[in-house]
Amino acid sequence: MDLIELALGRAGAPSLAEFQRQAGLVPTGTADALTWEALLPWLLGYLNYRVVPGDNYERLAARFGTTVRAIITANPNQDPLRLQVGQLLTLPLGFSLVPSNLPMTWELLRLCLRGLSARYPFLTVRDVGETYYGRKIPQIAVGLGQRRVLYNAAHHANEWITVPLLLRFLEQYAKAISENGTIFGYSAQALYQRVVLHLVPMVNPDGVDLVTGGLAEGSPGYENAVRLAENDPNVPFPDGWKANLRGVDLNLNYPAGWEQAREIKFAQGYTRPGPRDYVGTAPLDQPESAAMAALTERLRPSLTLSFHTQGEVIYWKFGSLEPDGARELGEDFAAVSGYTLEDVPFASGFAGYKDWFILKFDRPGYTVEVGTGTNPLPLSQLEAIYEKVIGILVLGLAKG
């Protein structure tokens, strides 16, 4: 499935030509610029609508398959009882925005975030960095409290299923906030008032695009990855790719025992840039890890959660460092998810983001390894993973 198929499925159109016919376009069956413009609302999950005589929120909700509450949420500065002809409204369409049947690419991530921020204007989306190949690294914030928590995903390219995992949580949390509902038994509004959730759902967009097909063959980044893959021909290409497109494993690039990580990985043969396990030439020498470190230092969160795959385990310490309350909260995470709370194996216990956060701030930081199997995990696991992990995501807000 691609973006066109996703949009057609949401629009209920059996073919591109039929969609074009329904949209009043020439039914060529080819996606030209006008066709993409017509498809875009079905990718973003909303459309811009100008009020005509006789419109009210109830009629618009029925016409576009949405709810009055969703329209009110998306238009916080409009008075539903005083609509004016020609007034511009944001109309959410009646489907969940984050897809579960399409591999996550950087472009799809940007579409999802654009749509979510239109549906839920209380979300703040900004870019916190840029990769070597020019992809912006987005960050989302939601909440009003003094306390801050930071969740991240996809440090590793072939662990990209963690991106829709965080996006699905964001969408459900935002919906619960807007409806004054609950999420995992907690009042979403109470959480929103108490804590600011910061998300970086795709730390490694270049690498993710390589694995999920968002990177064009023949592009400079793709060709560089092809060259670097020759340094480790035993890693399947591109499915086995973990690094960024400069061949550095971003979760081995933080200043927390980096020299020890270098010694271990060099002894294992990872001495050059490649698909996995190369630590770089110095800590934070990559734009993605540097951006994450700078964001974390600015926010100084009380808790971080880093989502990886696979194994259904939670890592919570850095060496002998055990921040106050970290074990107890980790045990709570394990109880609600069925995951096991474990110490990191020595050979993997240095230079990760979680390690650096604990060393730098002496606050609880966790690596959550979701799912089971061989990376990249199939999208068919997403629903089961989410059901196990949602408790961790919510407890991080409630107790972190």
Side-chain angles (χ1 to χ4, degrees), residues 140-220:
I140 310 96
V142 53
L144 299 176
Q146 294 299 310
R147 198 168 56 82
R148 295 176 291 274
V149 300
L150 175 58
Y151 299 172
N152 68 82
H155 267 83
H156 290 145
N158 65 350
E159 299 174 8
W160 60 264
I161 198 172
T162 56
V163 182
L165 176 70
L166 287 193
L167 291 180
R168 175 178 289 201
F169 174 67
L170 176 64
E171 182 171 18
Q172 292 196 1
Y173 181 42
K175 186 172 187 290
I177 292 169
S178 71
E179 296 176 352
N180 199 25
T182 61
I183 187 164
F184 200 70
Y186 286 82
S187 164
Q189 268 290 340
L191 294 174
Y192 176 74
Q193 296 293 330
R194 178 172 178 261
V195 61
V196 182
L197 168 63
H198 295 268
L199 296 174
V200 182
M202 189 183 288
V203 177
N204 183 7
D206 286 351
V208 167
D209 267 8
L210 174 67
V211 176
T212 59
L215 188 65
E217 293 188 25
S219 66

Coordinates of all heavy atoms in Angstrom, one line a residue, residues 140-220:
I140 N 6.8 17.0 19.3 CA 5.5 17.4 19.6 C 5.4 17.6 21.1 O 5.9 16.9 21.9 CB 4.4 16.3 19.2 CG1 4.7 15.9 17.7 CG2 3.0 16.8 19.4 CD1 5.5 14.7 17.6
A141 N 4.6 18.7 21.5 CA 4.4 18.9 22.9 C 2.9 19.1 23.2 O 2.2 19.7 22.4 CB 5.1 20.2 23.4
V142 N 2.5 18.5 24.3 CA 1.1 18.6 24.7 C 1.0 18.6 26.2 O 1.5 17.7 26.9 CB 0.2 17.4 24.1 CG1 0.8 16.1 24.4 CG2 -1.2 17.5 24.6
G143 N 0.3 19.6 26.7 CA 0.2 19.7 28.2 C 0.4 21.1 28.7 O 1.0 22.0 28.0
L144 N 0.0 21.4 30.0 CA 0.1 22.7 30.6 C 0.9 22.7 31.9 O 1.1 23.8 32.4 CB -1.3 23.2 30.8 CG -2.2 23.4 29.6 CD1 -3.6 23.9 30.0 CD2 -1.6 24.4 28.6
G145 N 1.2 21.6 32.4 CA 1.8 21.5 33.7 C 3.3 22.0 33.8 O 3.9 22.2 32.8
Q146 N 3.8 22.0 35.0 CA 5.2 22.4 35.2 C 6.2 21.2 35.0 O 7.3 21.4 34.6 CB 5.4 22.9 36.6 CG 4.6 24.2 36.9 CD 5.1 25.3 36.0 OE1 6.3 25.6 35.9 NE2 4.2 26.0 35.4
R147 N 5.7 20.0 35.1 CA 6.5 18.8 35.0 C 6.6 18.4 33.5 O 5.6 18.5 32.8 CB 6.0 17.7 35.8 CG 7.0 16.6 36.1 CD 6.4 15.6 37.2 NE 5.1 15.1 36.8 CZ 5.0 14.0 36.0 NH1 6.0 13.4 35.4 NH2 3.8 13.6 35.7
R148 N 7.7 17.9 33.1 CA 7.9 17.5 31.7 C 8.4 16.1 31.6 O 9.3 15.7 32.4 CB 8.9 18.5 31.0 CG 8.5 19.9 30.9 CD 9.5 20.8 30.3 NE 10.6 21.0 31.2 CZ 10.7 21.9 32.2 NH1 9.6 22.7 32.4 NH2 11.7 22.0 33.0
V149 N 7.9 15.3 30.6 CA 8.5 14.0 30.3 C 8.7 14.0 28.8 O 8.1 14.7 28.1 CB 7.5 12.9 30.7 CG1 7.2 12.9 32.2 CG2 6.2 13.0 29.9
L150 N 9.7 13.1 28.4 CA 10.1 13.1 27.1 C 10.2 11.6 26.6 O 10.9 10.8 27.2 CB 11.5 13.7 26.9 CG 12.2 13.7 25.6 CD1 11.4 14.3 24.5 CD2 13.6 14.4 25.7
Y151 N 9.4 11.3 25.5 CA 9.4 10.0 24.9 C 10.0 10.1 23.5 O 9.8 11.1 22.8 CB 8.0 9.5 24.8 CG 7.1 9.3 26.0 CD1 5.8 9.0 25.9 CD2 7.7 9.4 27.3 CE1 5.0 8.8 27.1 CE2 6.9 9.3 28.4 CZ 5.6 9.0 28.3 OH 4.8 8.8 29.5
N152 N 10.8 9.1 23.2 CA 11.4 9.1 21.8 C 11.3 7.7 21.2 O 11.2 6.7 22.0 CB 12.8 9.6 21.9 CG 13.8 8.7 22.6 OD1 14.2 7.7 22.0 ND2 14.0 9.0 23.9
A153 N 11.4 7.6 19.9 CA 11.4 6.4 19.2 C 12.3 6.4 18.0 O 12.7 7.5 17.5 CB 10.0 6.0 18.8
A154 N 12.6 5.3 17.5 CA 13.3 5.1 16.2 C 14.7 5.7 16.2 O 15.1 6.4 15.2 CB 12.5 5.6 15.0
H155 N 15.4 5.6 17.3 CA 16.9 5.8 17.2 C 17.5 4.9 16.1 O 18.4 5.2 15.4 CB 17.6 5.5 18.5 CG 17.8 6.7 19.4 ND1 16.8 7.2 20.2 CD2 18.8 7.5 19.6 CE1 17.2 8.3 20.9 NE2 18.5 8.5 20.5
H156 N 16.9 3.7 16.1 CA 17.4 2.6 15.1 C 16.4 2.5 13.9 O 15.2 2.4 14.1 CB 17.5 1.3 15.8 CG 18.7 1.2 16.8 ND1 18.6 0.5 17.9 CD2 19.9 1.9 16.7 CE1 19.8 0.7 18.6 NE2 20.6 1.5 17.9
A157 N 16.9 2.5 12.7 CA 16.1 2.6 11.5 C 15.1 1.4 11.4 O 14.0 1.6 11.1 CB 17.0 2.7 10.3
N158 N 15.6 0.2 11.6 CA 14.8 -0.9 11.4 C 13.8 -1.2 12.6 O 13.2 -2.3 12.7 CB 15.6 -2.2 11.0 CG 16.5 -2.7 12.1 OD1 16.7 -2.0 13.2 ND2 17.1 -3.8 12.0
E159 N 13.8 -0.3 13.5 CA 12.8 -0.4 14.7 C 11.7 0.7 14.5 O 11.1 1.2 15.4 CB 13.6 -0.2 16.0 CG 14.6 -1.3 16.2 CD 15.5 -1.1 17.4 OE1 15.2 -0.2 18.2 OE2 16.5 -1.9 17.5
W160 N 11.4 1.0 13.2 CA 10.5 2.1 12.9 C 9.0 1.8 13.3 O 8.3 2.8 13.4 CB 10.5 2.3 11.4 CG 10.1 1.1 10.6 CD1 10.9 0.2 10.0 CD2 8.7 0.7 10.3 NE1 10.2 -0.8 9.3 CE2 8.8 -0.5 9.5 CE3 7.5 1.2 10.5 CZ2 7.7 -1.2 9.0 CZ3 6.4 0.5 10.1 CH2 6.5 -0.6 9.3
I161 N 8.7 0.6 13.7 CA 7.3 0.3 14.2 C 7.0 1.1 15.4 O 5.9 1.4 15.8 CB 7.1 -1.2 14.4 CG1 5.6 -1.5 14.5 CG2 7.8 -1.7 15.7 CD1 5.3 -3.0 14.5
T162 N 8.1 1.6 16.1 CA 7.9 2.4 17.3 C 7.3 3.8 17.0 O 6.8 4.5 17.9 CB 9.2 2.5 18.1 OG1 10.2 3.0 17.3 CG2 9.6 1.2 18.7
V163 N 7.5 4.2 15.7 CA 7.0 5.5 15.3 C 5.4 5.5 15.3 O 4.8 6.4 16.0 CB 7.5 6.0 14.0 CG1 7.0 7.4 13.6 CG2 9.0 5.9 14.0
P164 N 4.8 4.6 14.6 CA 3.3 4.6 14.7 C 2.8 4.3 16.1 O 1.7 4.7 16.5 CB 2.9 3.6 13.7 CG 4.1 2.7 13.4 CD 5.2 3.7 13.6
L165 N 3.6 3.6 16.9 CA 3.2 3.3 18.3 C 3.0 4.6 19.0 O 2.0 4.8 19.7 CB 4.3 2.4 18.9 CG 4.1 2.1 20.4 CD1 3.0 1.1 20.6 CD2 5.4 1.5 21.0
L166 N 4.0 5.5 19.0 CA 3.9 6.8 19.7 C 2.9 7.7 19.1 O 2.1 8.4 19.8 CB 5.3 7.5 19.7 CG 6.3 6.9 20.6 CD1 7.5 7.9 20.8 CD2 5.8 6.5 22.0
L167 N 2.7 7.6 17.7 CA 1.7 8.5 17.1 C 0.3 8.0 17.5 O -0.6 8.9 17.7 CB 1.9 8.5 15.6 CG 3.1 9.1 15.0 CD1 3.1 9.0 13.5 CD2 3.2 10.6 15.4
R168 N 0.1 6.7 17.5 CA -1.2 6.2 17.9 C -1.6 6.7 19.3 O -2.7 7.1 19.6 CB -1.3 4.7 17.8 CG -2.6 4.1 18.4 CD -2.7 2.6 18.2 NE -2.8 2.2 16.8 CZ -3.3 1.0 16.5 NH1 -3.6 0.1 17.4 NH2 -3.4 0.7 15.2
F169 N -0.6 6.6 20.2 CA -0.8 7.1 21.6 C -1.1 8.6 21.6 O -2.1 9.0 22.3 CB 0.4 6.8 22.5 CG 0.3 7.4 23.9 CD1 -0.7 6.9 24.7 CD2 1.1 8.4 24.2 CE1 -0.8 7.5 26.0 CE2 1.0 9.0 25.5 CZ 0.0 8.5 26.4
L170 N -0.4 9.3 20.9 CA -0.6 10.8 20.8 C -2.0 11.1 20.3 O -2.7 11.9 20.9 CB 0.4 11.4 19.9 CG 0.2 12.9 19.6 CD1 0.4 13.7 20.9 CD2 1.2 13.4 18.5
E171 N -2.5 10.4 19.3 CA -3.8 10.6 18.8 C -4.9 10.2 19.8 O -5.9 11.0 20.0 CB -4.0 9.8 17.5 CG -5.4 10.1 16.8 CD -5.5 9.5 15.5 OE1 -4.7 8.6 15.1 OE2 -6.5 9.9 14.7
Q172 N -4.7 9.1 20.4 CA -5.8 8.7 21.4 C -5.7 9.6 22.6 O -6.8 9.9 23.2 CB -5.5 7.2 21.8 CG -5.8 6.3 20.6 CD -6.0 4.8 21.1 OE1 -5.9 4.5 22.3 NE2 -6.2 3.9 20.1
Y173 N -4.6 10.0 23.0 CA -4.5 10.9 24.2 C -5.1 12.3 23.9 O -5.9 12.8 24.7 CB -3.0 11.1 24.6 CG -2.7 12.0 25.8 CD1 -3.5 11.9 26.9 CD2 -1.6 12.9 25.7 CE1 -3.2 12.7 28.0 CE2 -1.4 13.7 26.8 CZ -2.2 13.6 28.0 OH -1.9 14.4 29.0
A174 N -4.8 12.8 22.7 CA -5.4 14.1 22.3 C -6.9 14.0 22.2 O -7.6 14.9 22.6 CB -4.8 14.6 21.0
K175 N -7.4 12.9 21.6 CA -8.9 12.7 21.5 C -9.5 12.7 22.9 O -10.5 13.3 23.2 CB -9.2 11.5 20.8 CG -10.6 11.2 20.4 CD -10.8 10.0 19.5 CE -12.2 9.9 19.0 NZ -13.1 9.4 20.1
A176 N -8.9 11.9 23.8 CA -9.4 11.8 25.2 C -9.4 13.2 25.9 O -10.3 13.5 26.6 CB -8.6 10.8 26.0
I177 N -8.3 14.0 25.7 CA -8.3 15.3 26.2 C -9.5 16.2 25.7 O -10.2 16.8 26.5 CB -6.9 16.0 25.9 CG1 -5.8 15.3 26.6 CG2 -7.0 17.5 26.3 CD1 -4.4 15.8 26.1
S178 N -9.7 16.1 24.4 CA -10.7 17.0 23.8 C -12.1 16.6 24.2 O -13.0 17.4 24.3 CB -10.6 16.9 22.3 OG -11.0 15.6 21.8
E179 N -12.3 15.3 24.6 CA -13.6 14.8 24.9 C -13.8 14.7 26.4 O -14.8 14.1 26.9 CB -13.8 13.4 24.3 CG -13.9 13.5 22.8 CD -14.0 12.1 22.1 OE1 -13.9 11.1 22.9 OE2 -14.2 12.0 20.9
N180 N -12.8 15.2 27.2 CA -12.8 15.1 28.7 C -13.0 13.6 29.1 O -13.8 13.3 30.0 CB -13.9 16.0 29.2 CG -13.7 16.2 30.7 OD1 -12.6 16.2 31.2 ND2 -14.8 16.5 31.4
G181 N -12.3 12.7 28.4 CA -12.4 11.3 28.6 C -11.2 10.8 29.4 O -10.5 11.5 30.0
T182 N -11.1 9.5 29.4 CA -10.0 8.8 30.1 C -9.2 8.0 29.2 O -9.6 7.7 28.1 CB -10.6 7.8 31.2 OG1 -11.4 6.8 30.5 CG2 -11.5 8.5 32.2
I183 N -7.9 7.7 29.6 CA -7.0 6.9 28.9 C -6.3 6.0 29.9 O -5.7 6.5 30.9 CB -6.0 7.7 28.1 CG1 -5.2 6.8 27.2 CG2 -5.2 8.6 28.9 CD1 -4.5 7.5 26.0
F184 N -6.4 4.7 29.7 CA -5.9 3.7 30.7 C -6.4 4.0 32.1 O -5.6 3.9 33.0 CB -4.4 3.6 30.6 CG -3.8 2.3 31.1 CD1 -4.0 1.2 30.4 CD2 -3.1 2.3 32.3 CE1 -3.5 0.0 30.9 CE2 -2.6 1.1 32.8 CZ -2.8 -0.1 32.1
G185 N -7.6 4.4 32.2 CA -8.2 4.7 33.5 C -7.9 6.0 34.2 O -8.4 6.3 35.3
Y186 N -7.1 6.8 33.5 CA -6.8 8.1 34.0 C -7.5 9.2 33.3 O -7.7 9.1 32.1 CB -5.3 8.4 33.9 CG -4.4 7.6 34.9 CD1 -4.1 6.3 34.6 CD2 -4.0 8.2 36.1 CE1 -3.3 5.5 35.5 CE2 -3.2 7.5 36.9 CZ -2.8 6.1 36.7 OH -2.1 5.4 37.5
S187 N -7.9 10.3 34.0 CA -8.5 11.4 33.4 C -7.4 12.1 32.5 O -6.4 12.6 32.9 CB -9.0 12.4 34.4 OG -9.2 13.7 33.8
A188 N -7.8 12.2 31.2 CA -6.8 12.8 30.2 C -6.6 14.3 30.5 O -5.5 14.8 30.4 CB -7.3 12.6 28.8
Q189 N -7.7 15.0 30.9 CA -7.6 16.4 31.2 C -6.8 16.6 32.5 O -6.0 17.6 32.5 CB -9.0 17.0 31.5 CG -9.7 17.6 30.3 CD -9.0 18.8 29.8 OE1 -8.3 19.5 30.6 NE2 -9.2 19.2 28.5
A190 N -6.9 15.7 33.5 CA -6.0 15.9 34.6 C -4.6 15.7 34.3 O -3.7 16.5 34.8 CB -6.4 14.9 35.7
L191 N -4.2 14.7 33.4 CA -2.9 14.6 33.0 C -2.4 15.8 32.2 O -1.3 16.3 32.4 CB -2.7 13.3 32.1 CG -3.0 12.0 32.8 CD1 -3.0 10.8 31.8 CD2 -1.9 11.7 34.0
Y192 N -3.2 16.3 31.3 CA -2.9 17.4 30.5 C -2.6 18.7 31.3 O -1.7 19.4 31.0 CB -4.1 17.7 29.6 CG -4.0 18.9 28.7 CD1 -3.2 19.0 27.6 CD2 -4.7 20.1 29.0 CE1 -3.1 20.1 26.8 CE2 -4.6 21.2 28.2 CZ -3.8 21.2 27.1 OH -3.7 22.3 26.3
Q193 N -3.4 18.8 32.4 CA -3.1 20.0 33.3 C -1.9 19.8 34.1 O -1.3 20.8 34.6 CB -4.3 20.2 34.2 CG -5.6 20.5 33.5 CD -5.6 21.9 32.8 OE1 -4.9 22.8 33.3 NE2 -6.3 22.1 31.8
R194 N -1.4 18.6 34.4 CA -0.4 18.3 35.3 C 1.0 18.2 34.7 O 2.0 18.6 35.3 CB -0.7 17.0 36.0 CG 0.4 16.5 37.0 CD -0.1 15.4 37.8 NE 0.9 14.9 38.8 CZ 1.7 13.8 38.5 NH1 1.6 13.2 37.4 NH2 2.7 13.5 39.4
V195 N 1.1 17.7 33.4 CA 2.4 17.4 32.8 C 2.4 17.8 31.4 O 1.4 17.7 30.7 CB 2.7 15.9 33.0 CG1 1.7 15.0 32.4 CG2 4.1 15.6 32.6
V196 N 3.6 18.2 30.9 CA 3.8 18.4 29.5 C 4.5 17.2 28.9 O 5.6 16.8 29.3 CB 4.6 19.7 29.2 CG1 4.7 19.9 27.6 CG2 3.9 20.9 29.8
L197 N 3.8 16.5 27.9 CA 4.4 15.4 27.2 C 5.1 15.9 26.0 O 4.5 16.6 25.2 CB 3.3 14.4 26.8 CG 3.8 13.3 25.8 CD1 4.8 12.4 26.4 CD2 2.5 12.5 25.4
H198 N 6.4 15.6 25.9 CA 7.2 15.9 24.7 C 7.5 14.6 24.0 O 8.0 13.6 24.6 CB 8.5 16.6 25.0 CG 8.3 17.9 25.6 ND1 8.2 19.1 24.9 CD2 8.1 18.3 26.9 CE1 8.0 20.1 25.7 NE2 7.9 19.7 26.9
L199 N 7.3 14.5 22.7 CA 7.5 13.4 21.8 C 8.5 13.7 20.7 O 8.4 14.7 20.0 CB 6.2 12.8 21.2 CG 5.1 12.3 22.1 CD1 3.9 12.0 21.3 CD2 5.6 11.1 22.9
V200 N 9.5 12.8 20.5 CA 10.3 12.8 19.3 C 10.1 11.4 18.7 O 10.8 10.5 19.0 CB 11.8 13.1 19.6 CG1 12.6 13.2 18.3 CG2 12.0 14.4 20.4
P201 N 9.1 11.3 17.8 CA 8.7 10.0 17.4 C 9.7 9.3 16.3 O 9.6 8.1 16.1 CB 7.3 10.2 16.8 CG 7.3 11.6 16.3 CD 8.2 12.3 17.3
M202 N 10.5 10.1 15.7 CA 11.4 9.6 14.7 C 12.8 10.3 14.8 O 13.1 11.2 14.1 CB 10.8 9.7 13.3 CG 11.6 8.9 12.2 SD 10.9 9.2 10.5 CE 9.4 8.3 10.6
V203 N 13.6 9.7 15.7 CA 15.0 10.3 15.9 C 15.8 10.2 14.6 O 16.6 11.1 14.3 CB 15.7 9.7 17.1 CG1 17.1 10.3 17.3 CG2 14.8 9.9 18.4
N204 N 15.6 9.1 13.9 CA 16.5 8.8 12.7 C 15.7 8.7 11.4 O 15.5 7.6 10.8 CB 17.1 7.4 13.1 CG 18.1 6.9 12.0 OD1 18.5 7.7 11.1 ND2 18.6 5.7 12.1
P205 N 15.2 9.8 10.9 CA 14.3 9.8 9.8 C 15.1 9.3 8.5 O 14.4 8.7 7.6 CB 13.8 11.2 9.6 CG 14.8 12.1 10.4 CD 15.3 11.2 11.5
D206 N 16.3 9.6 8.3 CA 17.1 9.2 7.1 C 17.1 7.6 7.1 O 16.8 7.0 6.1 CB 18.5 9.7 7.1 CG 18.6 11.2 6.8 OD1 17.6 11.8 6.4 OD2 19.7 11.7 7.0
G207 N 17.5 7.0 8.2 CA 17.6 5.6 8.3 C 16.2 4.9 8.1 O 16.1 3.9 7.5
V208 N 15.2 5.5 8.8 CA 13.9 4.9 8.6 C 13.4 4.9 7.2 O 12.9 3.9 6.7 CB 12.9 5.7 9.5 CG1 11.4 5.3 9.2 CG2 13.1 5.4 11.0
D209 N 13.7 6.0 6.5 CA 13.2 6.1 5.1 C 14.0 5.0 4.2 O 13.4 4.5 3.3 CB 13.5 7.5 4.5 CG 12.3 8.4 4.6 OD1 11.3 7.9 5.3 OD2 12.3 9.5 4.0
L210 N 15.2 4.7 4.6 CA 15.9 3.7 3.8 C 15.2 2.3 4.0 O 15.0 1.6 3.0 CB 17.4 3.6 4.4 CG 18.2 2.4 3.8 CD1 18.5 2.7 2.3 CD2 19.5 2.3 4.5
V211 N 14.8 2.0 5.2 CA 14.3 0.7 5.5 C 12.8 0.6 5.0 O 12.4 -0.5 4.5 CB 14.3 0.4 7.1 CG1 13.6 -0.9 7.4 CG2 15.8 0.4 7.5
T212 N 12.1 1.7 5.1 CA 10.6 1.6 4.8 C 10.3 2.0 3.3 O 9.2 2.0 2.9 CB 9.8 2.5 5.7 OG1 10.2 3.8 5.6 CG2 9.9 2.0 7.1
G213 N 11.3 2.3 2.5 CA 11.1 2.7 1.1 C 10.8 4.1 0.9 O 10.4 4.5 -0.3
G214 N 11.0 5.0 1.8 CA 10.8 6.4 1.6 C 12.0 7.1 1.0 O 11.9 8.3 0.7
L215 N 13.1 6.4 0.8 CA 14.3 7.0 0.2 C 14.4 6.5 -1.2 O 14.5 5.3 -1.4 CB 15.5 6.6 1.1 CG 16.8 7.2 0.8 CD1 16.8 8.7 1.0 CD2 17.9 6.6 1.6
A216 N 14.5 7.4 -2.1 CA 14.6 7.0 -3.6 C 15.9 6.3 -3.9 O 17.0 6.8 -3.5 CB 14.4 8.2 -4.4
E217 N 15.8 5.2 -4.6 CA 17.0 4.6 -5.1 C 17.7 5.6 -6.0 O 17.1 6.2 -6.9 CB 16.7 3.3 -5.8 CG 16.2 2.2 -4.9 CD 16.1 0.9 -5.6 OE1 16.8 0.6 -6.6 OE2 15.3 0.0 -5.1
G218 N 19.0 5.6 -5.9 CA 19.8 6.6 -6.7 C 20.0 7.9 -6.1 O 20.9 8.7 -6.6
S219 N 19.3 8.2 -5.0 CA 19.5 9.5 -4.3 C 20.9 9.4 -3.6 O 21.4 8.3 -3.3 CB 18.4 9.7 -3.3 OG 18.4 8.8 -2.3
P220 N 21.5 10.6 -3.2 CA 22.8 10.5 -2.6 C 22.8 9.7 -1.3 O 23.7 8.9 -1.0 CB 23.1 12.0 -2.3 CG 22.3 12.7 -3.4 CD 21.1 11.9 -3.6

